[in-house]
């Protein structure tokens, strides 16, 4: 069936590996060598097709190691497919009810590029019939078939004339075919041009397959030029479905431009003098992003090129304004802006010396009161002598001292609310002990009068 593989030979008692493991090791080594030498696998296409048939015809191996070798080998063939032709397809024919078709021949009579009325890209050829699978196989696609979309035309011919009275074959069958591949991007560069002379002010190379951080600057009298080339694995020019250059201002206003092509060269030139109104006269930083995409292009690009600083003139009075940017509906659930309060500046305080002098003046009456008590003589004759009344008398005087001390703390440290809270507790305490000591003094005075 055209399958090719490498088998192992038992030497010096080493463990037998089997054809799957051996063939996988050979392919892995060839791929590693090709990666080091920067070359694709230099093997004939029919050999590569035979190796692919071997791995695809194994079905699912019995253990995980063989399954890994199968998948890894197919990946090696896939990653090096540009060096050989693995293009093939199969056609199955059956009745409308799914029964086996009679003996017949399937021919590829034509292949046309989609949307084109040109002549067929291939000559009429017959597909090989595989008796084991019952499929008609075309092993190699013609070299005229490249990356893109095509329409293949097939024709079915019965072998036995009497079958034509039983089966109706219909006319030719058209099947859309999409051939994909890796597109090579080369000769990429971006430049700022002088508007009048067309001379290059600054020019930089681009690596569209990697990362770029290009930084440019221009004014409204200059131009921006972007150019690159796209080629297929067969070296032909490739025209993708879309090639766009996007410029996004730091205010989130976006502008999209189509990149045109002439043959292999893709190029776009932005004349900023004619685009000032479209840019809404917005100067500043513009991020540049290039999009190259196609259904047949396996390495479609969406790459950030860098940014350009534009210096545009001031907007006239009746110039168009940028459109309002859409508001994200989920932004209402995000963090809110921080609220900052601006408090009134504190009033200017008097000098410290003046405050201390005022404190001394407020303490003078207290000192005068104490001195007056000493001059007049303090009468302690009515101080209770019994233990319980004496205890209440001491607590009453201590409470009064605590209130005076609380006034000092209010002046130095406490605020009004803290002072009132503590004063409430002290007031209840003074009312209780004061009532007890005053009741004792009143009872003692009544006994003295009655005696």
């Amino acid at each position: 069936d055209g399958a090719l593989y490498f088998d192992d030979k038992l030497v010096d008692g080493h463990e037998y590996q089997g054809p799957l493991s051996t063939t996988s090791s050979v392919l892995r080594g060839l791929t590693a060598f090709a990666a080091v030498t920067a070359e694709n696998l230099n093997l004939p296409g029919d050999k590569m097709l035979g190796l692919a048939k071997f791995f695809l015809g194994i079905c699912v191996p019995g253990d995980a190691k063989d399954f890994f070798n199968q998948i890894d080998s197919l990946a090696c063939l896939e990653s090096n497919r540009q060096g050989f032709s693995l293009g093939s397809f199969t056609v199955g024919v059956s009745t409308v009810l799914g029964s086996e078709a009679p003996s017949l021949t399937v021919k590829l009579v034509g292949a046309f590029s989609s949307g084109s009325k040109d002549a067929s890209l291939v000559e009429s050829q017959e597909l090989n019939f595989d008796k084991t699978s019952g499929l008609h196989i075309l092993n190699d696609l013609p070299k005229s078939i490249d990356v893109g979309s095509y329409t293949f035309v097939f024709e079915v011919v019965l072998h036995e004339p009497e079958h034509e009275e039983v089966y109706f074959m219909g006319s030719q069958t058209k099947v859309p075919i999409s051939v994909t591949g890796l597109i090579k991007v080369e000769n990429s560069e971006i430049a700022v041009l002088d508007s009048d002379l067309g001379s290059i002010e600054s020019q930089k190379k681009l690596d569209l397959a990697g990362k770029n951080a290009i930084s440019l600057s221009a004014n409204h009298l200059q131009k921006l030029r972007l150019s690159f080339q796209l080629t297929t694995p067969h070296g032909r020019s490739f025209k993708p479905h879309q090639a766009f250059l996007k410029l996004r201002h730091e205010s989130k206003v976006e502008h999209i431009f189509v990149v045109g092509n002439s043959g292999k060269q893709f190029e776009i030139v932005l004349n900023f003098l004619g685009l000032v109104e479209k840019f809404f006269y917005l100067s500043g930083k513009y991020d540049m992003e290039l999009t190259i995409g196609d259904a047949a292009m396996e390495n479609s690009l969406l790459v950030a090129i860098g940014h350009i600083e534009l210096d545009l003139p001031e907007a006239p009075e009746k110039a168009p304004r940028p459109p309002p940017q859409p508001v994200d509906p989920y932004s209402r659930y995000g963090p809110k802006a921080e609220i900052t309060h601006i408090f009134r500046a504190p009033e200017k305080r008097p000098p410290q010396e003046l405050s201390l002098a005022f404190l001394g003046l407020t303490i003078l009456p207290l000192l005068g009161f104490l001195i007056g008590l000493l001059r007049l003589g303090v009468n302690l004759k009515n101080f209770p002598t019994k233990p319980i009344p004496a205890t209440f008398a001491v607590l009453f005087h201590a409470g009064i001292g605590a209130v005076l001390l609380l006034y000092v703390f209010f002046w130095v440290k406490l605020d009004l609310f803290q002072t009132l809270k503590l004063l409430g507790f002290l007031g209840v305490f003074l009312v209780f002990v004061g009532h007890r000591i005053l009741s004792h003094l009143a009872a003692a005075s009544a006994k003295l009068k009655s005696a």
Side-chain angles (χ1 to χ4, degrees):
D1 59 353
L4 300 175
Y5 61 90
F6 295 90
D7 202 354
D8 191 15
K9 183 179 180 180
L10 189 61
V11 178
D12 296 335
H14 293 295
E15 182 182 357
Y16 176 69
Q17 299 294 330
L20 194 150
S21 177
T22 305
T23 309
S24 176
S25 300
V26 174
L27 275 180
R28 197 177 294 114
L30 287 174
T31 304
F33 179 76
V36 172
T37 57
E39 296 287 345
N40 290 316
L41 296 184
N42 190 18
L43 291 177
D46 58 341
K47 302 297 183 183
M48 286 297 170
L49 183 60
L51 291 170
K53 284 184 177 181
F54 168 70
F55 287 106
L56 293 173
I58 296 175
C59 298
V60 179
D63 56 32
K65 183 177 180 181
D66 285 345
F67 181 66
F68 168 77
N69 288 329
Q70 180 190 30
I71 299 300
D72 185 61
S73 300
L74 290 173
C76 291
L77 292 172
E78 172 70 13
S79 62
N80 288 273
R81 64 182 179 274
Q82 286 183 322
F84 52 86
S85 174
L86 269 180
S88 64
F89 58 86
T90 59
V91 177
V93 182
S94 65
T95 65
V96 293
L97 297 178
S99 302
E100 184 178 353
S103 58
L104 49 80
T105 299
V106 177
K107 294 182 179 181
L108 175 63
V109 298
F112 303 90
S113 182
S114 296
S116 175
K117 298 181 180 179
D118 297 337
S120 175
L121 300 175
V122 301
E123 297 180 357
S124 179
Q125 53 183 310
E126 182 178 329
L127 277 65
N128 299 324
F129 180 67
D130 185 5
K131 294 182 179 180
T132 303
S133 61
L135 300 175
H136 301 265
I137 303 174
L138 179 63
N139 289 329
D140 294 318
L141 287 174
K143 293 184 178 180
S144 57
I145 303 298
D146 207 342
V147 176
S149 298
Y150 301 91
T151 300
F152 282 21
V153 181
F154 296 96
E155 185 178 52
V156 178
V157 179
L158 293 172
H159 291 171
E160 303 296 337
E162 58 270 15
H163 288 166
E164 296 180 359
E165 299 179 359
V166 181
Y167 300 96
F168 176 72
M169 307 309 299
S171 58
Q172 297 177 341
T173 303
K174 297 182 179 181
V175 179
I177 300 292
S178 180
V179 180
T180 65
L182 297 175
I183 302 301
K184 188 176 183 181
V185 185
E186 52 190 359
N187 298 332
S188 307
E189 61 181 22
I190 188 170
V192 175
L193 309 177
D194 185 80
S195 181
D196 297 331
L197 304 177
S199 58
I200 298 177
E201 294 288 337
S202 61
Q203 182 175 1
K204 296 185 179 181
K205 296 290 184 180
L206 295 175
D207 180 16
L208 298 183
K211 294 184 178 180
N212 297 275
I214 301 300
S215 178
L216 299 172
S217 61
N219 55 42
H220 66 287
L221 299 178
Q222 294 177 319
K223 299 179 181 179
L224 178 69
R225 184 182 67 189
L226 172 67
S227 60
F228 54 88
Q229 292 181 352
L230 300 177
T231 54
T232 65
H234 291 303
R236 300 171 186 170
S237 61
F238 178 75
K239 183 179 181 181
H241 289 159
Q242 53 183 340
F244 301 130
L245 175 64
K246 180 191 292 185
L247 271 66
R248 183 188 298 109
H249 189 253
E250 50 194 359
S251 62
K252 306 302 181 182
V253 178
E254 296 182 350
H255 308 280
I256 299 177
F257 304 92
V258 179
V259 182
N261 73 308
S262 57
K264 288 186 178 181
Q265 184 76 14
F266 283 79
E267 185 179 80
I268 182 173
V269 178
L270 300 181
N271 186 359
F272 296 124
L273 183 60
L275 295 173
V276 289
E277 289 192 2
K278 186 174 182 178
F279 284 178
F280 305 106
Y281 296 89
L282 293 177
S283 300
K285 179 180 177 181
Y286 284 80
D287 293 324
M288 298 180 291
E289 187 178 77
L290 180 63
T291 303
I292 304 175
D294 193 280
M297 184 177 177
E298 295 183 7
N299 56 332
S300 295
L301 301 176
L302 178 59
V303 56
I305 299 176
H307 71 274
I308 181 172
E309 290 282 347
L310 284 184
D311 183 14
L312 302 182
E314 293 292 334
E317 185 178 353
K318 296 183 179 180
R321 299 297 179 184
Q325 297 301 308
V327 179
D328 185 7
Y330 294 101
S331 61
R332 57 183 297 187
Y333 304 108
K336 302 299 181 182
E338 183 179 358
I339 300 177
T340 57
H341 295 280
I342 301 177
F343 295 95
R344 185 181 63 182
E347 296 180 357
K348 187 177 181 180
R349 295 184 178 184
Q352 185 177 6
E353 294 78 7
L354 182 60
S355 299
L356 293 176
F358 180 76
L359 176 62
L361 291 177
T362 55
I363 294 177
L364 284 178
L366 177 61
L367 295 177
F369 173 73
L370 295 176
I371 293 173
L373 290 178
L374 294 176
R375 288 279 186 173
L376 295 175
V378 180
N379 185 9
L380 299 178
K381 295 179 179 179
N382 291 330
F383 198 86
T385 57
K386 296 181 179 180
I388 295 178
T391 301
F392 283 109
V394 172
L395 292 176
F396 179 74
H397 287 85
I400 294 176
V403 172
L404 296 176
L405 184 62
L406 180 62
Y407 289 162
V408 175
F409 277 106
F410 170 67
W411 183 272
V412 175
K413 184 177 181 181
L414 300 180
D415 57 30
L416 179 62
F417 296 101
Q418 294 173 333
T419 304
L420 291 177
K421 184 188 299 184
L422 296 175
L423 189 60
F425 290 112
L426 289 176
V428 174
F429 173 76
L430 286 174
V431 168
F432 175 72
V433 296
H435 179 266
R436 296 299 298 269
I437 189 60
L438 290 177
S439 298
H440 172 73
L441 292 176
S445 177
K447 289 182 180 181
L448 183 62
K449 290 180 179 180
S450 61

